[in-house]
Amino acid sequence: MADIAWDGVVEARYRIEQSLRYEYERPIHDLQHRLIIAPRARHHDQERYAHRLWATPAIPLVASRDAFGNDIASVSVDRVEREIAFGLETSLVRRARGERPTEAFDARWLDVGRLTALDPALADAAADLRRANADPFVRAHAIVRFVHAHMTYAKRVTDVGTTAAQAFAGARGVCQDFAHIAISLARASGIGARYASGHLLGEGATHAWVEFLVPRASGDVTVLSLDPTYCNETDFRYIVVAIGRDYDDVPPTSGVFRGTSAGTLTTSQHVRVTELVYAA
């Protein structure tokens, strides 16, 4: 992806191929599983135009959408002998817009949950950022710069249950932690924010960033998509799969079963650009 000249791109088409395989030492029973891996049918300038999701062995997947408009695939299986696998093939397009998207105000993006709850250190930082940056648009950028400067990217020091306060105190973590801290600071300083889960071209795993909902005089909000891990505004390299208040709303794979064997998960994903259109 490094050899692509992204400046001047007005349309990009992508192909995503993804697989997840669970293996068990012994049979399991009553598996209830949920996947959030298919990119949203439409998200601002992004549109999905081909899509196939399946399970092996061949088991019906029940399609639905959650309260945030994300595509959910659910499966219920009485017995799995040794393994179950899921495959995804998706094609989508992004087209440049002349201005940032706007939406109606939604109070859910100000909700504080378990993963984004404030502690005194985060509350103090949010207050400082608000005092120093009266304009909310400027404040959103300042929050991203602050998180990027404060945190050091480090794997295996946090997990999916690590809160923003815990990651902030340790000053180390992965993209999920960077996003949760930025969301916590944004909401505490009066800006709505949501967790965006998806793909960043050139990375071998899923990625997370933040969509800030900056208030406008008209009463709606401007969507400002920023990545605190890399301290940049998102662009055609980013593909949104799901949005939520935090990671707990959009785990790519989750479920429960009865059995004495813990599952071993193996994943793979390949995201490639299939076509680029440049401005004349």
Side-chain angles (χ1 to χ4, degrees):
M1 302 297 176
D3 58 345
I4 294 177
W6 292 104
D7 290 346
V9 173
V10 295
E11 180 177 307
R13 293 178 181 266
Y14 314 84
R15 173 77 168 177
I16 300 173
E17 297 171 352
Q18 191 170 358
S19 67
L20 302 90
R21 180 181 300 275
Y22 285 91
E23 297 180 273
Y24 306 93
E25 293 180 357
R26 291 171 292 279
I28 64 167
H29 303 272
D30 299 329
L31 172 66
Q32 305 292 325
H33 206 84
R34 189 177 88 150
L35 298 170
I36 311 178
I37 60 174
R40 294 164 63 85
R42 184 183 294 273
H43 188 70
H44 301 310
D45 66 0
Q46 176 184 300
E47 182 178 0
R48 191 183 73 207
Y49 60 87
H51 170 62
R52 188 167 76 97
L53 179 61
W54 68 93
T56 304
I59 301 164
L61 293 170
V62 178
S64 62
R65 285 190 178 162
D66 66 11
F68 307 105
N70 302 311
D71 284 290
I72 310 298
S74 302
V75 64
S76 179
V77 185
D78 292 335
R79 178 184 173 96
V80 175
E81 291 296 331
R82 288 291 187 271
E83 66 177 44
I84 185 169
F86 304 96
L88 171 72
E89 294 177 351
T90 298
S91 296
L92 55 120
V93 61
R94 287 193 63 184
R95 298 182 177 93
R97 298 172 57 117
E99 57 186 25
R100 292 185 177 90
T102 60
E103 296 179 4
F105 172 75
D106 187 335
R108 291 180 300 178
W109 307 128
L110 290 169
D111 286 350
V112 176
R114 178 185 68 86
L115 292 173
T116 57
L118 288 175
D119 70 352
L122 280 172
D124 288 346
D128 290 343
L129 285 160
R130 185 164 189 164
R131 279 192 296 268
N133 303 277
D135 182 279
F137 187 88
V138 174
R139 192 185 315 145
H141 282 275
I143 288 169
V144 165
R145 291 193 300 271
F146 174 79
V147 174
H148 181 76
H150 176 82
M151 295 290 290
T152 297
Y153 189 91
K155 296 180 179 180
R156 293 180 289 278
V157 297
T158 58
D159 58 33
V160 295
T162 301
T163 67
Q166 291 168 336
F168 187 72
R172 295 193 301 161
V174 293
C175 58
Q176 173 185 304
D177 305 300
F178 283 63
H180 282 155
I181 293 168
I183 290 169
S184 180
L185 293 172
R187 292 172 181 165
S189 67
I191 302 173
R194 64 192 177 208
Y195 186 94
S197 175
H199 305 284
L200 173 57
L201 296 178
E203 292 206 341
T206 55
H207 191 57
W209 58 98
V210 181
E211 291 186 343
F212 294 85
L213 293 310
V214 182
R216 294 160 50 98
S218 59
D220 57 6
V221 295
T222 295
V223 182
L224 177 61
S225 181
L226 302 175
D227 184 350
T229 301
Y230 293 105
C231 200
N232 60 255
E233 190 162 349
T234 65
D235 53 25
F236 277 104
R237 295 172 299 161
Y238 290 76
I239 298 170
V240 175
V241 169
I243 58 172
R245 291 162 298 185
D246 53 39
Y247 175 86
D248 278 350
D249 284 334
V250 293
T253 180
S254 59
V256 295
F257 63 86
R258 289 193 303 109
T260 58
S261 171
T264 299
L265 173 62
T266 304
T267 65
S268 69
Q269 67 176 45
H270 181 54
V271 184
R272 69 180 188 274
V273 177
T274 59
E275 184 180 353
L276 292 173
V277 177
Y278 290 88

